[in-house]
Amino acid sequence: MSDDELDLNTLNDDELVEQMGDDLYDGLKEEIEVGTHILLDRGWTPYDVLTKSLVAGMTIVGEDFRDGILYVPEVLMAANAMKAGMAILKPLLAETGAPRIGSMVIGTVKGDIHDIGKNLVSMMMEGAGFEVVDIGINNPVENYLDAIEEHKPDILGMSALLTTTMPYMKVVIETLVEKGIRDDYIVLVGGAPLNEAFAESIGADGYCRDAAVAVETAKEFVARRHNMIGARANA
Ligand code: B1M
């Protein structure tokens, strides 16, 4: 039987996840959509479909991109297939009925157009009860300033996937300091090339390794912030 005729429904879970990895690699958007629906119909949680199937598949794409086996056009197709799966999961992840616990403005920094990780963080944060304003990709400092002025979020989130763009996060934080508004926001950063030490060196409040950590870190900081505000009000 050729791949074209393969009925994804006939595969068991492990085979299906493996096949979806191949389909993501080949940028087969419709197959990813079908596979995502099948896993959900089989009772998988949206989070498991996301992490065990889509993110796992994208990791392999990333490795082969790094090693020069895949090139930009192929990776773009894989990214589009991944986004199609994420679009199905987004409303489900946001549907948890969690009470609103805080707000965040998030964007990818100037010079950087990677948005899958940022979108995933936005989805998971919304699912956890945060109101999220996503300002997209390639953001100069002015965009962050405009967005925080307009939305007054608890958290400013920044994403960078390139070693050449991650230093721009420091530009944004230094601008907040210059304007005397740095302490008005919790600044969280993330992206594959970052680490804890980098986040600390640029004066961010926290580094988030992945979307789940972003949610936990955000909850922790927002709770701390609300406690401080409460204590001040009671003093
Ligand atoms: Co790009 N790319 N890319 N790319 N790309 C990387 C990042 C790279 C590591 C690939 C490699 O060589 N192995 C490499 C960077 C090397 C480096 O800087 N050291 C690279 C390169 C070089 C480039 C170009 C320069 C290639 C070229 O043109 N020659 C170019 C740059 C374009 C630009 O931005 N100016 C480029 C272009 C592209 C595509 C357009 C083809 C496509 C992006 C499509 C899109 O996003 N719409 C693309 C992709 C897809 C990748 C890889 C393969 C996958 C990234 C991804 O989506 N991962 C990537 C390889 C890799 O990362 N291993 C690569 C899945 C995603 C779920 O994970 O983004 O890490 P991630 O997000 C995670 C965490 O990092 C964290 O949570 C997320 C969810 O768990 N997180 C946050 C992220 N942001 C956060 C923000 C937060 C909190 C947590 O705020 C609070």
Side-chain angles (χ1 to χ4, degrees):
M1 184 187 270
S2 78
D3 268 1
D4 288 339
E5 297 160 34
L6 184 65
D7 178 357
L8 295 177
N9 273 300
T10 62
L11 304 178
N12 69 31
D13 286 9
D14 288 346
E15 290 166 344
L16 178 56
V17 168
E18 195 182 331
Q19 182 61 40
M20 284 174 72
D22 289 349
D23 290 343
L24 191 79
Y25 194 94
D26 294 335
L28 301 177
K29 186 172 164 240
E30 277 169 31
E31 282 75 358
I32 290 298
E33 287 170 341
V34 172
T36 299
H37 281 302
I38 295 175
L39 288 176
L40 289 171
D41 288 346
R42 289 185 187 173
W44 280 48
T45 63
Y47 183 70
D48 276 353
V49 179
L50 190 63
T51 52
K52 295 185 181 160
S53 171
L54 301 182
V55 173
M58 203 60 188
T59 304
I60 297 167
V61 171
E63 286 164 5
D64 281 3
F65 188 28
R66 177 196 61 209
D67 297 341
I69 298 165
L70 288 179
Y71 295 95
V72 169
E74 292 130 323
V75 177
L76 258 181
M77 284 181 68
N80 283 339
M82 168 128 187
K83 283 185 174 183
M86 283 166 64
I88 296 167
L89 300 174
K90 183 175 174 168
L92 303 174
L93 283 165
E95 222 173 49
T96 56
R100 187 182 173 284
I101 49 175
S103 58
M104 175 175 80
V105 160
I106 188 168
T108 303
V109 296
K110 185 176 168 186
D112 201 320
I113 62 167
H114 295 87
D115 67 355
I116 294 176
K118 167 187 66 60
N119 296 348
L120 226 154
V121 171
S122 299
M123 280 164 51
M124 298 272 298
M125 292 282 289
E126 280 173 355
F130 285 87
E131 189 185 319
V132 177
V133 177
D134 183 345
I135 59 170
I137 54 173
N138 193 20
N139 283 291
V141 61
E142 294 77 18
N143 291 5
Y144 290 103
L145 293 176
D146 289 349
I148 58 177
E149 168 68 23
E150 183 181 348
H151 301 286
K152 306 258 183 285
D154 297 300
I155 302 169
L156 171 62
M158 288 187 274
S159 179
L161 264 289
L162 300 171
T163 44
T164 49
T165 57
M166 59 191 237
Y168 196 77
M169 292 173 162
K170 191 174 178 202
V171 174
V172 177
I173 294 176
E174 278 175 351
T175 309
L176 296 179
V177 173
E178 278 163 24
K179 292 192 171 294
I181 54 173
R182 167 65 186 90
D183 293 339
D184 296 348
Y185 305 97
I186 298 158
V187 179
L188 300 182
V189 295
L194 278 63
N195 57 34
E196 206 91 49
F198 172 77
E200 202 178 315
S201 75
I202 61 168
D205 292 305
Y207 157 69
C208 312
R209 190 182 62 243
D210 58 32
V213 171
V215 168
E216 286 319 307
T217 313
K219 279 184 179 168
E220 207 179 294
F221 274 99
V222 166
R224 238 188 270 170
R225 190 172 195 232
H226 288 175
N227 286 343
M228 268 169 56
I229 293 169
R232 262 189 236 137
N234 290 331

